[in-house]
């Protein structure tokens, strides 16, 4: 059984507000030792006051080696719903090492009757959904998913990103906005009006911090190209930090800490 002298060592794969909230919740829990991991791509990230690490593990093998070396007793995959590679690696490495894994993932957004959503499976389909007629598209898909829009250079793109995108990935007619969420319905409406946006393109992130753009699009009567979440291998999944803590506590109390 994990005791205060041997707390359960928990690797949190971060990158979302839920991951940060979980990390913060673990700050004062003596039976759970959290290690907060980020890919290391966002400058000056918000961090909890627990052990942190940044940078990739080196694929499935690298993660399996890390889990073993660090005597990790549980992994919480709280990465972004579109961080599919990391989530797949977590499933494989945890299976390989026998480490309990929980996915903490917020639910996807749901359209209301007043919404005009075009749901597409991926970025290429989102590009095609903009059509042949030139439009003014607001892209909030992240800086790594811009290159496919070069295939539709007839549109003007308002591109919002936390970190400046690679200039080589940009479609010719664009405006860049460097901004970090949260946003409000009022500011999103103002922004879309100012830039004369006529269609919004987004991933189904499900985050409250970025959902005001959907309400703004609804208010302005604009269509939304909604990119569906990637399919992930099955894993035990919860949607709230509270449930994740309950699961960790049950593991801790059951004494499933690995003694490697
Ligand atoms: P990804 O394609 O699934 O991951 C690419 C690689 O980055 C992984 O294979 C892993 O490298 C490393 N990595 C990702 N998350 C990591 C973490 N938490 N700790 C350590 N290494 C990590 O993910 P991504 O789309 O590049 O996203 C990177 C990070 O940004 C994630 O933490 C994600 O939650 C966050 N994020 C992503 C999006 C999005 O739309 N994709 C949006 C907002 C935030 P190794 O194989 O070397 O271990």
């Amino acid at each position: 059984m994990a005791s205060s002298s041997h707390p359960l060592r928990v690797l949190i794969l971060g990158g979302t507000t839920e991951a940060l909230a979980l990390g913060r919740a673990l700050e004062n829990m003596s039976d759970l030792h959290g290690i907060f991991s980020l890919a290391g791509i966002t400058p000056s990230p918000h961090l909890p006051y627990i052990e942190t690490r940044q940078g990739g593990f080196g694929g499935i093998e690298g993660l399996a080696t890390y889990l073993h070396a660090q005597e990790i007793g549980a992994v919480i995959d709280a990465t972004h719903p579109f961080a599919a590679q990391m989530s797949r690696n977590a499933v494989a490495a945890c299976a390989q090492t026998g480490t309990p894994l929980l996915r903490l993932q917020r639910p996807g957004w749901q359209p209301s009757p007043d919404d005009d959503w075009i749901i597409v499976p991926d970025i290429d389909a989102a590009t095609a959904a903009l059509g042949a007629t030139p439009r003014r598209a607001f892209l909030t898909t992240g800086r790594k998913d811009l290159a496919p829009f070069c295939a539709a250079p007839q549109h003007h793109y308002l591109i919002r990103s936390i970190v400046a995108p690679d200039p080589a990935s940009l479609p010719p007619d664009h405006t860049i906005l460097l901004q970090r969420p949260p946003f409000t319905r009022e500011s999103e409406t103002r922004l879309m009006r100012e830039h004369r946006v006529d269609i919004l393109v987004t991933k189904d992130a499900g985050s409250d911090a970025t959902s005001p753009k959907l309400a703004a699009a609804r208010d302005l009567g604009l269509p939304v190209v909604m990119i569906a979440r990637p399919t992930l291998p099955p894993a035990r999944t919860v949607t709230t930090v509270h449930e994740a803590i309950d699961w960790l506590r049950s593991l801790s109390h059951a004494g499933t800490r690995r003694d490697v």
Side-chain angles (χ1 to χ4, degrees):
M1 173 167 170
S3 67
S4 55
S5 56
H6 293 289
L8 184 77
R9 291 174 63 78
V10 180
L11 176 66
I12 303 170
L13 299 171
T16 56
T17 47
E18 290 75 15
L20 182 61
L22 176 62
R24 289 195 169 144
L26 262 49
E27 285 170 358
N28 301 313
M29 293 188 184
S30 57
D31 54 338
L32 300 172
H33 176 89
I35 303 170
F36 191 76
S37 175
L38 287 177
I41 48 178
T42 303
S44 314
H46 299 301
L47 294 170
Y49 290 106
I50 59 173
E51 185 178 338
T52 61
R53 64 166 303 286
Q54 294 204 38
F57 297 94
I60 297 168
E61 289 310 317
L63 179 56
T65 303
Y66 177 90
L67 296 178
H68 185 79
Q70 293 293 320
E71 300 185 16
I72 300 299
V75 174
I76 305 280
D77 173 12
T79 55
H80 192 273
F82 283 78
Q85 191 58 53
M86 188 69 253
S87 293
R88 290 187 183 116
N89 291 357
V91 169
C94 286
Q96 198 174 307
T97 56
T99 311
L101 168 69
L102 184 72
R103 188 175 293 150
L104 169 56
Q105 192 175 79
R106 58 204 174 205
W109 288 315
Q110 296 299 321
S112 77
D114 296 332
D115 281 316
D116 176 12
W117 287 10
I118 306 152
I119 299 173
V120 296
D122 53 35
I123 290 279
D124 289 329
T127 309
L130 294 178
T133 308
R135 307 187 82 160
R136 296 182 63 83
F138 183 18
L139 297 190
T140 61
T141 47
R143 71 192 167 98
K144 292 200 308 180
D145 288 312
L146 296 173
F149 294 98
C150 295
Q154 70 275 29
H155 307 299
H156 174 80
Y157 295 98
L158 174 65
I159 297 168
R160 182 164 65 196
S161 174
I162 297 176
V163 178
D166 175 359
S169 69
L170 295 173
D173 187 6
H174 66 260
T175 302
I176 308 272
L177 285 177
L178 296 183
Q179 293 179 343
R180 192 191 283 256
F183 305 108
T184 67
R185 186 173 188 155
E186 291 70 29
S187 66
E188 295 289 61
T189 306
R190 199 164 48 242
L191 181 76
M192 290 190 212
R193 275 212 180 102
E194 249 171 43
H195 289 269
R196 292 178 290 117
V197 166
D198 55 29
I199 190 163
L200 168 67
V201 184
T202 182
K203 293 172 174 170
D204 181 10
S207 161
D208 290 343
T210 56
S211 65
K213 63 189 167 193
L214 301 174
R218 188 183 313 129
D219 291 346
L220 295 169
L222 301 183
V224 176
V225 178
M226 181 65 67
I227 303 167
R229 293 180 171 188
T231 306
L232 298 177
R236 180 192 287 261
T237 301
V238 295
T239 57
T240 65
V241 170
H242 187 80
E243 291 168 294
I245 291 169
D246 281 351
W247 181 78
L248 287 171
R249 281 257 151 86
S250 70
L251 272 186
S252 171
H253 292 149
T256 50
R257 181 177 61 86
R258 290 181 339 122
D259 284 315
V260 186

